[in-house]
Amino acid sequence: MKLNVQEKDDNKLSTITIKDIAKKCHVGVSTVSRAMNDHPDINPETKKKILKVIEKSGYVPDNSARNLKRIDARAVAVLIKGIGNTFFNQLVEVLEQECQKERYSCVIQRVEEDENEIDVALQVAREKKLRGVVFLGGNFSHSGEELGRLKFPYVLSTVYSGEDNKRIASVSVDDYKESYKMTEYLLGLGHKKIAIITARREDESIGKLRLLGYQKALFDHGIPFDEELVCYMKMNVDRYSYRSGYKLTKELLSGKKTFTALYATSDTLAVGAIRALWEAGIHVPDDCSVAGFDGMDAGKYSIPGITTIRQPAKEIARATADLLFSMIDKKEEPKRVIFEGELIVRESTGISRIKIV
Amino acid sequence: MKLNVQEKDDNKLSTITIKDIAKKCHVGVSTVSRAMNDHPDINPETKKKILKVIEKSGYVPDNSARNLKRIDARAVAVLIKGIGNTFFNQLVEVLEQECQKERYSCVIQRVEEDENEIDVALQVAREKKLRGVVFLGGNFSHSGEELGRLKFPYVLSTVYSGEDNKRIASVSVDDYKESYKMTEYLLGLGHKKIAIITARREDESIGKLRLLGYQKALFDHGIPFDEELVCYMKMNVDRYSYRSGYKLTKELLSGKKTFTALYATSDTLAVGAIRALWEAGIHVPDDCSVAGFDGMDAGKYSIPGITTIRQPAKEIARATADLLFSMIDKKEEPKRVIFEGELIVRESTGISRIKIV
DNA sequence: TTGTACGCGTTATCAT
DNA sequence: ATGATAACGCGTACAA
């Protein structure tokens, strides 16, 4: 008989539940629950006993059931669209730290390129009983109305929302202004023919802003904008990656137009670009200047080091967390927080020698 | 009265459930459920009507409740320890594709550095009703017994398990052998003093294997192993990153020992290393050769291009998926799959000129 | 084809 | 301090 009971228990590899633990301990399920969740109303000894049984039985509580019951989980989520954009890594790291400080748990969630980030947000918010969400990456220009579906606090970090509605919380640099700054810097070096590698032609996010800043700077300095010096990423193929930087630069080089400077709108693109130029026998910065954007390690440790606009990632992440938590806890209104980018001059740019490439 | 009902509905921003939808449509909950889950037994018209109501009411089904009911979700998970190791990105991408092909859904889950990957696996397996798990990264040497807790199929991909138990499924290159290969290549170039940058001294994973392969190659060629030419990562500080490569190389340079080649055990480390050497006025490969490992884009597009051992990432990912699915579906036994690494010679290595650094 | 009612595993509210 | 029991929102037998 006893052996039978034993057998029955062991066979039950299906899934062991809180009830099984309760039975084994000869207590009620609520006592087990209290033991697991550090509730005050429980005898320390029974608690210890229960935890021991849990330990050796290998019981794992079902999070789905927990979330189902739970009204609030004191949790937020970070939704990342475009993983592989290594710039987000730093942000996420700091965001996680800040959450810990505030004793929030933090769900990191990838969003596929073809998924709607709003839908995903809605889903996990429901599933995990979130109090708020941070959006990293993605294209928020179209989502003016869409954003209205979000009934909880959220912050766009390093993302541009087409609606420059002040009621949308966001933290970022002013990509337009910073891009203008970079272009002006290149112009200041004497460059007249500045090629640019930028996001897809259809982009409505930061890619567009950076292109716009570039155009405006050219305009303000009386340089005509030349569409042939613009190289757009190809849909579903290119990203802010080394590979794309390399490929797109080759494209540029095979074109008829010449240039003395190349503005790659991310540091990763710039690395690939420099390699492509190098293979074509074009030396950076002597024959051609190259500039990046973001201030990532990729540009700091490459040779030559890449002139860039540094986004203060840590500060942005901290401000993002601050803003989100104050919206959650103190019911503060959404606001737009802008950080200043920093032009970092390294070895990839120099005075134009008007040596046509 | 009517207005009251209306009000009541709108106020209920708490959370709208399947019942609310059912009421609004004047149908039962099961009909709504059928409409959402593409069940056959439903009138196309009522289905259409219901979906429309769902759409405009902004109803989002609660995944927790779903998972709770669901016995099986036809899903697997990929657990990644050490995000930021960009090498994993390629793997994940292919893994996701393979899952789609097999009509499995795929959960991507980060594991923090201080978390036990086994615990996490157990938790999400329970929560999401997984059929299997892929482990990327992490230290599996200690977990010989621990692994026994996993009652479902799993595959270690690009990870080394100390237990060279054949009953543990794994897909990877032979890090020991490949590291030997790389070291031998450097020796073949005439280098006698080969420094190495490697994982923490306590590492029991691939870092250890790569170091061991290096030592063995030296030994086989009659070169004494010199502990002072080994630079270990510092705990909780270093990673396979540019920054660490840079920092650790500086350390090496400030030591008393000289070397004519530097073997950085990842391409990212190598990039940082080359920068550090460059800043010290040491030219690669003329004054010092540098080799990496992994075959990542970082080494392909850097200048100089980095000599490396390419791990066939796509093949590894595909084989990982194959193995996992055949264990799940066909009850196949776990096995160890080894891929051959490919020595790719680029510009960062050259014949030793015995010019002491 | 559709609706009713039960149960999934947990936590929270009661009594005790 | 502890145990019984009612939710939580959904899927699904089963009845209609």
Side-chain angles (χ1 to χ4, degrees), chain B residues 284-313:
Chain B
V284 175
D286 297 342
D287 303 330
C288 180
S289 287
V290 173
F293 200 109
D294 284 341
M296 305 191 337
D297 278 351
K300 185 171 178 183
Y301 295 107
S302 85
I303 301 174
I306 294 167
T307 295
T308 192
I309 298 283
R310 190 182 79 86
Q311 301 194 58

Side-chain angles (χ1 to χ4, degrees), chain B residues 285-354:
Chain B
D286 297 342
D287 303 330
C288 180
S289 287
V290 173
F293 200 109
D294 284 341
M296 305 191 337
D297 278 351
K300 185 171 178 183
Y301 295 107
S302 85
I303 301 174
I306 294 167
T307 295
T308 192
I309 298 283
R310 190 182 79 86
Q311 301 194 58
K314 284 183 187 171
E315 288 86 339
I316 288 177
R318 260 193 286 268
T320 298
D322 278 358
L323 181 51
L324 184 62
F325 290 135
S326 63
M327 282 166 63
I328 292 174
D329 297 331
K330 304 170 200 158
K331 308 287 180 196
E332 268 185 32
E333 288 301 308
K335 63 178 175 184
R336 184 168 282 226
V337 180
I338 305 284
F339 277 87
E340 197 74 19
E342 179 193 359
L343 173 66
I344 300 184
V345 176
R346 292 200 270 244
E347 305 110 26
S348 69
T349 50
I351 291 174
S352 171
R353 306 186 179 182
I354 322 189

